[in-house]
Amino acid sequence: MQRILIKNGQVVDPANERDGIYDVLLEQGQVAAISENISVDGAEIIDAEGCIVAPGFVDLHCHLREPGQEYKEDVASGTRAAIRGGFTSLVAMPNTEPAIDSEAAVRSMAEIISEKAAARVYPAGAITRGQKGRDLTEMGGMMQAGAVAFTDDGLPVTSSRVMQLALQYSDMLGVPISVHEEDPDLAGDGVVNRGRISTLLGLPAIPTAAESAMVARDLELCREFGGHLHIAHVSTRNSIDLIRKAKDEGLKVTCEVTPHHLTLTEDLVRESNYDTNTKVNPPLRTSTDVEALVNALSEGIVDVIATDHAPHSFDDKDKEYIFADFGISGLETAFSLLHDQLVLKGDITMNRLIAALTVVPATIFDLPGGTLSQGEPADLVILRPQDEWAVNPDDFVSGGKNTPLAGWSLTGRVDTVLVAGRIMMRDGELQC
Amino acid sequence: MPELARKDVLGLETMSRQEIELVLHTADSMREVLDRPITKVPALRGRTVLMMFYEPSTRTLASFNLACKNMSADTVSVSKSSSSLVKGESLRDTIQNLESMGADAVVMRHPSAGAPHYIARNIEGSVLNAGDGAHEHPTQGLLDLFTIEQHKGSLEGLKVAIVGDILHSRVARSNIWGLSTMGADVTICGPSTLIPPYVTEIGCTVTHDVREAVTDADVIYVLRIQLERQEGSMFPGAREYRRLFTIDAERISLASPDALLMHPGPMNRGVEITTDVADGAQSVILEQVPNGVAVRMALLYLLLGGGE
Amino acid sequence: MSSEGQLKVKAQIMDGAAIRRSLVRISHEIVEKNKGVQDIVLVGIRRRGVPLSERLGAYIEEFEDVVVPNGSLDITLYRDDLTLRHDRPMVHRTEVPFDITGKTVILVDDVLYTGRTVRAAMDALVDFGRPGTIQLAVLVDRGHRELPIRPDYVGKNVPTSRHEVIEVRVDEIDGIEDVVIMERQEEGAE
């Protein structure tokens, strides 16, 4: 494979505490060297002056919809969307049709991935068969087939006993259990956060306790029964407080927050006049919650930013608010939104943002990549932090154009993306 | 010339005092039309109004139909059950149907808050919200304001108590917005499980003591209480409700002597209101019905009466 | 007043005394033509027909010592140009608090022009009952009829051009008593 030399970029590699102007040499699909003023013969040069060079982003939570709902998204379109967003590794949620709940299903998913994926995709397996919340799946066999984590995402594990068993069993296997925390009784038929906006808009509401009560339960189970509890898409201040306390006690708990929960509030539902692209689960919360999430991210209480990329077809969103599907198509705006709303406003450092998108998620789920250490895969992004662009969902390569950010102007853009040393996007143009 | 500065009537939250006053003034003129031997005027001849009711309704639908007929507008009714709606026709198809029918206005009732807003964004004609989820029911709110104004002359400074299930009530929300815009002082009262969070931000005070709510009130507005809901009961039961919240003769005696008693209907007699009170001298519940027709005629005129 | 040009007073046609004399005469003519005041009701067309109608009623009461029922009619909802206009004229209350069936209804308006207002008023009137006769009294007839309508009682015939505007001003509404003829100044003229 050819040599690629990335010149004069600001290399941000949190794993190696590197932040400065360096050249990066890629060979054989791996990081060969990083230092000042590398010059080699026969290398393709990429000029990265004024740009940030970072490890490719790792998304622990996205929905690629294949198999079963290819009309919303498939592995090809979803991974191309990932590339556009700077993500080189994805963990695909198992709530497909059928669900990824057996060794055979993981193998067939792996086959689809090897045929179609433009980025690295790691399947997550379901915790329970058919995601029905009753019987544990054959996690051991599924891991051997390639599953990197287990989750019934989209649905909560309502039975405390099943959750207990899942944690106990996964502890033996050393694999994380990723949980969608929602008490369905409390959430009811809610579609927005319970609070000022639900009252003003007259929409059925989801209380914050629907999430935090389940977080509390699972932390208690984790304390007693072990396991690596990974809490997906945390959205409330109260959940953060519980997680902070659990981490202080040394529980093996990690968590992720989405770009939209870090930047948007319930007010957007009202301001957008019931735009169903603001309908997401967990719902957009209040500014108090957003502030708590951002602070927790800054402190490291929130480990990871994961997109919860949830693409939907036009028709699935073009409905009455209560009938529209939940979810935001997030891969293609994640970095820009976070950079624009958090880094530029001084709430989060660029270093922390990149760490939460790279080395931390890779470490938590024990995935390759996430760093630019010598010998690591040449998965890498080149970012243009000054570039301003306007979000136009029609330009998305994801099948899901469902973003509440249409028309937003964001500063910070993903310019070039390499996976295993192959240029997948260059100067903002997809090469795959 | 004063005009409604809007294409649609989706809620009272966004309606100004001047706009509300114009509607009430026009409704007063329409009220006179209803007293004539022939209650039909030719004002909206050639206009077509589409009634889209996605929830069962008798009185609001009948009231709008009557208002249209009195104004000589043609009406087309499309009723759908909510069940067919969940699996069935999309709002986009609905809109395309509307446009092919050449409707000048759409009256819409829908179980989802915001559904009329969706239609309003996507059609040129006017949209009148006839109740969307638990959001707003602006024509009910306006007819209530009109009824109060007819009796009290002005709404400014009136003490209004709204009693019942506020959480699920679009009527309550529209009334709170409208009454507070017009300078009335609104207190809401109901079981704590049926009071929405942050409701004081709409412009009202909250109490769970019905006696406190009605004391010295100029208007007592009773809401229908639905003790059995799909998601399960949110209140211990009818006997408990009677004990704590039902508006009866004893409780109404605490109000101002000429207090008005109102209810949007249909009533659960003996639950949220006793029959003697509902049919008593202070009740204006029956007046609310013709006033509803007058207010809807006024809105139709103000939205469709001119050119373009 | 209008984007089409400024209105300018060209001449006064009647002063307060002339208006009073005309109304007195018309009230006599009404009594004379109907051989008394039995079954007569007066209905003024809003806005300025209403005070004129009230004055006719007062004169008749003065001469005949009989109170003639008096109503007011808002014809907005009966206009034939409603859906052509860009504005939505304010709708005011109509008050005809008596039965008009079989009665001689004297419709009163300030100016008779195209006849369309009177057409609308007659349509409105018949929704209240079936009058025996409808007669029309106007303070000024300025011609240019577009419908087969003719007044029974006229204060003054004023030949006009279509560019002109006749304005009747009464104390009750305008705080002044006169009839003036106004002309529309062409845009950019002078």
Side-chain angles (χ1 to χ4, degrees), chain A residues 198-261:
Chain A
S198 66
T199 294
L200 292 178
L201 295 184
L203 286 168
I206 302 173
T208 58
E211 175 178 299
S212 51
M214 291 291 264
V215 169
R217 180 199 72 172
D218 290 345
L219 291 171
E220 287 310 302
L221 291 172
C222 182
R223 188 199 312 280
E224 186 163 349
F225 297 97
H228 172 182
L229 181 69
H230 178 76
I231 301 174
H233 46 57
V234 175
S235 71
T236 75
R237 183 183 63 175
N238 296 342
S239 300
I240 291 293
D241 290 346
L242 292 166
I243 293 164
R244 182 192 309 273
K245 195 162 150 280
K247 286 191 161 191
D248 285 349
E249 290 174 31
L251 290 192
K252 191 164 187 195
V253 53
T254 54
C255 69
E256 66 186 40
V257 180
T258 70
H260 46 273
H261 289 113

Side-chain angles (χ1 to χ4, degrees), chain B residues 30-48:
Chain B
M30 297 302 180
R31 190 71 185 75
E32 178 274 320
V33 172
L34 295 178
D35 290 335
R36 298 178 190 175
I38 293 171
T39 57
K40 197 183 187 75
V41 296
L44 298 182
R45 270 190 306 183
R47 301 289 195 183
T48 303

Side-chain angles (χ1 to χ4, degrees), chain B residues 39-59:
Chain B
T39 57
K40 197 183 187 75
V41 296
L44 298 182
R45 270 190 306 183
R47 301 289 195 183
T48 303
V49 178
L50 206 60
M51 305 286 169
M52 310 223 58
F53 278 65
Y54 286 86
E55 266 185 356
S57 158
T58 19
R59 42 192 80 209

Side-chain angles (χ1 to χ4, degrees), chain B residues 222 247-249 252 261-263 267-270 272-288:
Chain B
V222 187
I247 298 299
D248 57 18
I252 211 175
L261 184 84
M262 303 174 72
H263 192 297
M267 283 183 278
N268 292 308
R269 289 169 180 264
E272 70 262 10
I273 189 167
T274 57
T275 282
D276 57 330
V277 167
D279 299 336
Q282 285 168 274
S283 168
V284 293
I285 294 169
L286 287 178
E287 287 174 39
Q288 286 170 266

